[in-house]
Every structure is written in C-alpha cells, then in structure tokens.
Amino acid sequence: MTLLTNSVTACTGTLIVGAGQAGLQLAVSLRENGYSAPITIAGAEPWGAYQRPPLSKSFLNGDVDEDNLSLRATDFYTENAIDARIGTRIWDIRLAASGRGGEAFTGDGRVLGFEKLALTTGSRPRRLTIPGADLTGVCYLRSIPDATHLRTLLGVAHTVVVIGGGFIGLEAAAAARRRGLDVTLVESYGRLLQRVVAPPVSAFYRGAHDRRGVHFRLGSGVIALHGDERVTGVELSDGTVLPADVVIVGIGVEPRIELAHRLGLTCSRGIVVDESARTSNPTVVAAGDCTVQPHPQHPDTLVSLESVQNAVDQAKVAAATLLGRNRPPTTVPWFWSDQGDLKLQIAGLSTGFDDFVVRGEPDSESFSVLYYRDGHLIAADAVNRPHDFMAVKRALSLGSTIPSEEATNTDFTLKALIRAVDAPLPAGRRP
Amino acid sequence: MPKIILHSPTGALFTVDAQIGASVMETAVKHGVPGIVAECGGALSCATCHVYIADSFIDLTGQADDFEDEMLDDTASVRKPNSRLSCQIRMTAALDGLEAEIAPEQ
Ligand SMILES: Cc1cc2nc3c(=O)[nH]c(=O)nc-3n(C[C@H](O)[C@H](O)[C@H](O)COP(=O)(O)OP(=O)(O)OC[C@H]3O[C@@H](n4cnc5c(N)ncnc54)[C@H](O)[C@@H]3O)c2cc1C
Ligand code: FES
C-alpha cells in the first residue's frame, strides 16, 4: 500500500470512483441516509451514469437512444449536491498514513482529497487474444460507443458471427437476426449459457434461436480472425472458416481491479468484499461488477454477480457501511435477459443445485426451471412466465420453498404452492 | 414538453417535464421523484414502477399488454383497475398533464 505522508489538500467527504450503476446508487443512498458532507463521483466515461442492459437490446435495435439510457438528469446531481466529475479517470490513490482519508490523482493532473472512499469501477469485456483480433469489424459490447459503433455496422452488414453463447452474445444475435442478417453463433462449450443455467434451458435457447434463423457452432473454439484490415472470416478449431463482415465478441468480463491492487486490497477475480461491502481495508468499500463477495447461502464460496440488482443492492449496503449503520435487509438476487421476444427472468442463485424440475412445456416457449439444493428451492429461470418468476422471488425473500413434486403441476399457480421450509414434507419426498 | 404530475406515497406532489418518447418511469426516476424504484430500468421485468393512473387519462394511456398484465398481478401494492407499470407508458403530446399516483409499496 502506498501511504501518504504530507497531506496537501483538505480531506473532506466521500469519493466514489466509477460513475456507473453502483457508483450512482452509492451517492444516492448516502444522501437518502442524511449524509451531508461533499460527495464526488469520478467517472472515466464522458457520460453520467447510464444503463447498460439496453445496449444489447433496445438500443441495439434502435428503439431507444442515448438520452433514454441516462439514469439521472443533470439537475439531479446539482439538486443533491453530488459533484459528478464525468470524463475523469482516477489513475492513482494514496491513503493517509493516519488511516483516515487520502488523495486520488486524476488523468488531467488534479488531486481529489477524500475522507471516505468507495470503489465502483465495474468491469471491462474480456478481449480476444488470437491472430486478427484487432481487425476492423470486431466489436465488443460494454459502453455507449461500443453499441453505437455496432449498431452502425449492423445497418450495413450481411453476415455476422457472434463469439460466445452467454447472455450478451445471445441478445446481440437476436438483435442481428431481427435485422434479417445471416447470424452464426460460436460457443466453445457444448451448450449455451453453460455457466448459468441447467441443460433444459440451454437446449431451449438453442432450439428457439434456431427457429428464428440463428446458426450454431457449439463446442467450437475460434483460433483466428481473417481479413486484411477489415474482418472477413472466423476460423474455427476444426479448420472451418465462417465468412463474417461483423464479429461480435461476448466472452465475459474482467473486473477492473487496478486501483484496488495499488491500494493493496485483497483481490481474487475481483475485489474481495465481505457481506457489508467492506474490502480488506475496512475503511474502503466496493460494490458492483468489480467485486467478488461471499455467496449469500454458502459464505465460504466467493461469487461475482454481474447484474444491475447486485450493483444497486450492494451499493446500498456499502453506503450503510460507510455511515456506520446496520446493513439493509438482504435481497433476493435476480436477473433478466431479453432475447428478441423471449423474456427470461431469473430469481435466486442456482449455482450448486443438486436437483431441478421443469414446469410447463419448453416447446410452447413459456416454461420455468426450478432449482433445488438439499430439497429446498434456491432459484428459478422463467421464460415468458412472469407469474412463476414473481412467485419464486417472493418464496425466496420469505425464506420459503415450493415443493419440487408439486411445482410441475400447472393446475396451480406457484404462488399457491409456497410453503414454509419446515412445513411437513409430502410422503415419499427425499430429504 | 408534456408534463407529468405524480402523487408520491408521502403525499408530496411532483410535476416533471417529460421528453416525448420517454417513459413515465424514466422521467420520474431521472428527476429523483421518490417512490418509483424501477429496478430493471424499464425492461418490464421487475414490477417496481407501479402507478395508479388518474381516471381521466386511462383511455389515453392504453392497455397493459399480456406480459405487463401478468406482472401487475404480483405487484407489492394492491392491483387496481387503473394500475400500470409506468415504464410501459411512453409520453406523447396528448399525454400532457398526465396524472398518476405512485403505489405505496414497490
Ligand atoms: C451489453 C450489456 C447488457 C447487460 N444486460 C443486463 C441485463 O439484462 N440485466 C442485468 O441485470 N445486468 C445486465 N448487464 C450487467 C449490468 O449492466 C452490470 O452488472 C452493471 O452495469 C454493473 O454496474 P457497475 O456500476 O458495477 O459497473 P459499470 O456500470 O461498468 O460502471 C463502472 C464505471 O466505472 C468507470 N471507471 C472504471 N475505472 C475508473 C477509474 N479508475 N476512474 C474513473 N472511472 C472509472 C467505468 O468507466 C464505468 O463507467 C449488462 C451489461 C452489458 C454490458
Ligand atoms: S421498471 Fe421494471 S418493470 Fe418497469
């Protein structure tokens, strides 16, 4: 850790590094809780905090614009005395030797003093590192410029290859198909969304996108991109070259942990925080995509939760911690993904499930998968089935369950099947 | 710019200017009107942007589609005939003066 010996600027207020979903929420929560000292949010991007989810959905389709993405009007910041320094990247931070506050150094040579520090630096897309990765026409999807560029390219493209069968890849594939383009999705695993959903959900998405005209190459690695200046093809490990005039890469993200490293904070994949959003230095908090945190039910395992819900709720916790207040009540993790007309809503965390049941008929494009561990409901994926999603979210927030043998009975709503965890089990139910 | 008049659960009244094409939710949140949570930012996935539309505007705001209709069944505050998810109402000039009450719980 770099320590500061002679403090030159006044150390007042809170500095939040990263003006995204989490950074904004942290500032808002500090003010809502009566914090009256100065709040500065430094954001490297030239915009105030904005929503990323539409970048691979409605924004890519051209249904909404930049204006619609911003999370707050400019007036909001002034009215709430939040000093939003947009276009300001923090390059280095030093903590005062006294352990109280420190200084941050901006790209344009300014020094920002602070008393309290929060890191909400988000993540960046993982880059391809194969030959041809730098060709024009190879696109990532994280920011407004990324999505604007891709939107323009899709307007004139014919053949698109999507690398990565995760949420962003599938959403982008759906958007490209909606424009009538020829779309092939390449995924190195044998099934889609391998990290996050059970096999029936993977199989469903494969079939559903196939019916909408997306071609798939599952279990295929990409070894090179071809082209002179512009990309023209994608070479797979079996030697096939898929023609492409646009390549969309969605192979995951890497948390931005450089500043945390400089501060000597413990990091694994992301900045390690506890359930109070405290980093290994108890005076510094962190929230959002840049963190890894204890799994809410199995605290020995660290998880990275890359979702709006997590960014917002963890930021609320971080604000409470900075103010020395009690943690706000825990919330149920949840997520959504809109792929064309297919609306997926996920409640809970399914990692570590040992059983699941399918409710409804996947072929009807309206079904849910409920996940269990040790006989208790832990999560559900609901495709075009909002009632199921809302019921599972409610059950989880109550700490209740929905018995697996009853959950498949579509004569009942799931809401009607919610049971207390210690309610007697129906006969024949395995423990 | 069309105006939106929102009654917050605390009893306070907010009048905000809306851009044509922006949703009621988006307009309220951007101006910091309390009470609309909008966890999903308008993706029709969270049902935390629940409002009750004033009777005189019900016809102008149109009907909830099937998905919204289902989400409305499970809102935290009671569903009423004039319940809508405010992210699904996009502002038009005709909606100038739109009045709605924000549901007490989201
Ligand atoms: C295309 C796309 C689609 C998505 N779809 C969904 C979805 O459907 N549902 C869902 O729940 N989630 C979705 N997500 C994920 C969700 O958007 C993120 O989890 C969320 O934005 C995380 O918020 P954050 O504040 O942690 O990080 P970000 O929003 O990434 O904000 C971090 C900010 O910090 C800035 N920053 C970093 N380092 C510095 C520095 N040193 N100095 C100053 N500023 C810095 C960055 O420039 C950035 O602006 C999607 C993400 C993407 C990219
Ligand atoms: S903002 Fe989530 S449903 Fe309206």
Side-chain angles (χ1 to χ4, degrees), chain A residues 51 63-64 67-68 70-73 76 308-309 334 336 338 343 345 384 386-387 389-390 393-394 415, chain B residues 19 21-22 26 29-32 39-47 67 70-71 73-76 90:
Chain A
Q51 301 187 53
D63 298 338
V64 303
D67 276 350
N68 304 107
S70 85
L71 283 164
R72 290 294 186 281
F76 176 87
V308 168
Q309 174 272 326
W334 76 276
W336 77 94
D338 295 339
K343 284 187 76 73
Q345 293 164 291
N384 291 338
H387 280 155
F389 166 73
M390 295 297 273
K393 194 160 169 262
R394 175 163 310 175
K415 192 154 76 173
Chain B
Q19 236 136 37
E26 181 189 333
V29 170
K30 276 185 183 168
H31 291 91
E39 277 188 70
C40 77
L44 188 48
S45 290
C46 68
F67 201 94
E70 282 201 36
M71 295 288 291
D73 286 338
D74 295 304
T75 45
R90 293 242 199 156

Side-chain angles (χ1 to χ4, degrees), chain A residues 127-204:
Chain A
R127 302 254 150 194
L128 283 177
T129 52
I130 52 175
D134 296 332
L135 291 167
T136 313
V138 179
C139 301
Y140 295 82
L141 209 38
R142 179 79 197 172
S143 62
I144 288 179
D146 291 345
T148 308
H149 178 60
L150 178 58
R151 187 157 94 167
T152 311
L153 291 184
L154 290 181
V156 293
H158 299 286
T159 315
V160 177
V161 172
V162 178
I163 302 178
F167 290 119
I168 290 183
L170 288 167
E171 290 176 354
R177 267 309 293 156
R178 195 173 110 146
R179 292 169 184 260
L181 309 180
D182 187 312
V183 180
T184 304
L185 187 144
V186 185
E187 163 61 54
S188 57
Y189 286 110
R191 63 183 178 97
L192 300 172
L193 300 170
Q194 194 263 354
R195 267 190 331 125
V196 279
V197 300
V201 183
S202 301
F204 164 76

